[in-house]
Amino acid sequence: MDRLNNPARLMIVSDLDHTMVDHHDAENLSLLRFNALWESTYRHDSLLVFSTGRSPTLYKELRKEKPMLTPDITIMSVGTEITYGEAMVPDDGWEEYLNNKWDRNIVIEETSKFSQLKFQSETEQRPHKVSFYVEKEHAQEIMKSLSVSLEKRGLDVKIIYSGGMDLDILPQGAGKGQALAYLLKKFKAVGKLPVNTLVCGDSGNDAELFSIPEVHGVMVSNAQEELLQWHAANAKDNPKIIHATERCAAGIIQAIGHFKLGPNVSPRDVVDFSSTKSDHFNPGHELVNFYLVHERWCRGEIEKSEELIQNLKNITCPGGVIIHPSGVENSLHQCIGTFGPRYGDKQGKQFRVWVDKVSCSQIGSGAWLVKFDKWEINDGGRQCCLTTVLLNSKVDNPEGFQLVHVHQTWLEGYAATNQTSWIW
């Protein structure tokens, strides 16, 4: 919560499965579009929150499968766990709050009386969440009976049915909506209430997010029947909640534009980057575009031209160096020289590049130190470099900046056995 000195310009709170992440999008294009928009435009002054029904175990598995960004805050296990930053530091105050009128042993004892309830995997059973599978035709009757029996036992619980099969029992004070309300209260207490908050979801366990006053909300086009029914019954006249016409992350991008919360054109949707120049130098924007040019060149998606190679030389300092993850140092201009023959060498392959956690520090007049994770996926394999770049903003350069120094280090577990390019 301390990453930003001022209130976030925008805080996006998004469910993951079938909202931020489209499991029917084999190439993850909508997710990559969102990634490029966030890192180029919002990361430096906004907050990204993932709110998922997944446990920490399944959340980490999803991160290994999909090209997801690192959020500032993670809400997991249907709003029963809140963690901060990449290290996922737990919020002890939230855990203490949820202990009120909650006894997990009593929940298990009472639910054992319903043969229709089948336990979900052990990873999904959490300190403040007991999770089952149940067939749709039995769900409502069981929920009513359980509410009565657990109340008689002195518990104050919440029962959430979502996805047409998942039944979660939580403390009454838990849930995605309550977790968000708790966070907003903490931000307000320190004078950092976000200027705008956008919540995003697709299923029944996301409904609470849309109940928080003053937030904007988007139900993605592929939202499930249970969420649409909740909206029709509770919020159909709320102009701050829309049903997008785009799926998943593309629907989130659409909502940013609909509510005028900020720019919503992803760099991945831009054909000519020269037409997107800003009056204000933005290192994140420049680096996202820089690596997108690399991806498109290798995929053969842009015209092969000497002019582009010359432009790359123009934005690299003649005396600049790159330090490869192996520790070998090379000239930036020499690296540019090896770039030309790579045109189209990834054509027809599953090759994508994205950056994560772009962090910029101005270290002098026109000088910026930028740190980020640079990811590549190639035919199913992934590799990541922790990258530090020194940039100079140059008024006399048509590109607006010059790349002076690049230092790369393999992220543990992602070292490649062969690296065909020095600069990238």
Side-chain angles (χ1 to χ4, degrees):
M1 294 185 69
D2 297 328
R3 184 174 69 82
L4 302 180
N5 294 324
N6 300 307
R9 170 170 52 139
L10 173 64
M11 184 166 76
I12 286 185
V13 183
S14 178
D15 173 54
L16 293 178
D17 295 291
H18 308 293
T19 301
M20 181 63 74
V21 177
D22 189 347
H23 293 281
H24 297 288
D25 180 2
E27 292 196 43
N28 303 300
L29 291 181
S30 63
L31 181 55
L32 289 167
R33 287 178 60 218
F34 177 86
N35 291 357
L37 175 62
W38 189 260
E39 295 297 329
S40 67
T41 308
Y42 291 98
R43 174 70 80 171
H44 66 287
D45 65 358
S46 299
L47 293 171
L48 181 61
V49 181
F50 288 159
S51 181
T52 178
R54 287 179 178 243
S55 66
T57 298
L58 291 188
Y59 167 68
K60 291 174 183 177
E61 287 183 7
L62 184 64
R63 289 188 59 84
K64 292 178 181 178
E65 297 167 4
K66 296 292 183 178
M68 293 164 53
L69 298 181
T70 302
D72 298 287
I73 303 172
T74 312
I75 302 171
M76 294 168 290
S77 304
V78 198
T80 62
E81 299 179 67
I82 300 174
T83 65
Y84 301 97
E86 185 178 15
M88 298 179 68
V89 178
D91 188 316
D92 295 333
W94 180 240
E95 295 178 8
E96 183 178 346
Y97 169 75
L98 294 182
N99 286 330
N100 183 43
K101 291 189 176 182
W102 170 257
D103 188 318
R104 200 172 185 284
N105 292 328
I106 292 178
V107 172
I108 292 176
E109 182 182 331
E110 290 297 323
T111 53
S112 67
K113 300 174 183 178
F114 296 86
S115 60
Q116 301 96 329
L117 293 175
K118 308 298 180 185
F119 275 108
Q120 293 184 19
S121 65
E122 187 62 32
T123 63
E124 300 313 288
Q125 311 305 328
R126 304 298 296 170
H128 296 96
K129 180 173 80 78
V130 186
S131 296
F132 302 91
Y133 295 122
V134 62
E135 294 180 1
K136 190 173 184 179
E137 57 266 31
H138 302 303
Q140 295 302 319
E141 180 183 349
I142 290 175
M143 289 170 68
K144 290 179 182 178
S145 297
L146 271 176
S147 295
V148 173
S149 62
L150 291 172
E151 184 178 0
K152 288 181 179 179
R153 296 292 302 272
L155 302 192
D156 192 9
V157 304
K158 174 183 298 179
I159 303 175
I160 298 177
Y161 183 64
S162 63
M165 60 186 296
D166 299 320
L167 189 145
D168 299 304
I169 304 176
L170 327 167
Q172 183 59 241
K176 291 185 176 183
Q178 279 84 343
L180 174 56
Y182 173 83
L183 288 173
L184 291 173
K185 184 178 180 180
K186 289 185 72 171
F187 280 121
K188 187 174 182 178
V190 294
K192 292 185 180 181
L193 188 67
V195 176
N196 284 299
T197 297
L198 173 66
V199 300
C200 321
D202 77 299
S203 71
N205 68 19
D206 300 315
E208 289 183 355
L209 291 173
F210 298 95
S211 301
I212 303 300
E214 303 304 319
V215 304
H216 300 276
V218 54
M219 302 179 296
V220 291
S221 69
N222 52 292
Q224 297 183 30
E225 178 184 355
E226 64 215 23
L227 182 59
L228 297 179
Q229 289 177 346
W230 174 89
H231 177 260
N234 299 278
K236 65 179 180 180
D237 296 322
N238 186 348
K240 287 195 169 186
I241 301 177
I242 65 166
H243 186 191
T245 59
E246 300 282 349
R247 290 179 56 85
C248 300
I252 299 174
I253 295 173
Q254 180 184 4
I256 293 173
H258 175 86
F259 293 120
K260 297 180 172 55
L261 303 178
N264 78 323
V265 177
S266 171
R268 284 191 170 272
D269 298 328
V270 175
V271 176
D272 180 10
F273 290 135
S274 65
S275 65
T276 64
K277 294 302 174 185
S278 171
D279 295 334
H280 304 286
F281 177 67
N282 181 345
H285 178 80
E286 304 294 352
L287 285 168
V288 168
N289 289 346
F290 186 71
Y291 283 107
L292 278 177
V293 168
H294 163 226
E295 177 190 295
R296 291 174 179 177
W297 179 271
C298 293
R299 289 174 60 89
E301 294 177 346
I302 54 178
E303 181 183 356
K304 184 178 182 180
S305 70
E306 288 301 319
E307 181 181 359
L308 186 144
I309 299 295
Q310 186 56 51
N311 287 341
L312 289 176
K313 289 184 176 180
N314 290 340
I315 62 174
T316 53
C317 177
V321 298
I322 177 170
I323 301 176
H324 186 266
S326 65
V328 177
E329 185 176 307
N330 212 31
S331 159
L332 283 172
H333 269 207
Q334 285 181 327
C335 293
I336 294 297
T338 67
F339 185 54
R342 296 193 61 199
Y343 181 82
D345 66 352
K346 304 295 184 183
Q347 197 165 22
K349 298 181 180 180
Q350 189 183 12
F351 176 73
R352 298 291 178 184
V353 182
W354 71 97
V355 298
D356 181 25
K357 298 187 301 182
V358 174
S359 173
C360 310
S361 300
Q362 188 165 6
I363 58 175
S365 178
W368 297 81
L369 191 66
V370 190
K371 297 181 179 181
F372 55 94
D373 291 350
K374 188 226 103 180
W375 288 89
E376 279 190 12
I377 186 169
N378 191 8
D379 287 343
R382 300 207 301 180
Q383 61 185 30
C384 179
C385 286
L386 309 180
T387 307
T388 303
V389 170
L390 177 61
L391 291 177
N392 281 340
S393 57
K394 293 175 66 66
V395 177
D396 58 342
N397 188 327
E399 298 298 324
F401 75 101
Q402 189 170 64
L403 197 156
V404 179
H405 182 90
V406 180
H407 190 174
Q408 298 177 320
T409 305
W410 289 125
L411 178 66
E412 184 177 356
Y414 287 97
T417 55
N418 60 340
Q419 179 76 355
T420 56
S421 168
W422 285 102
I423 189 167
W424 314 109

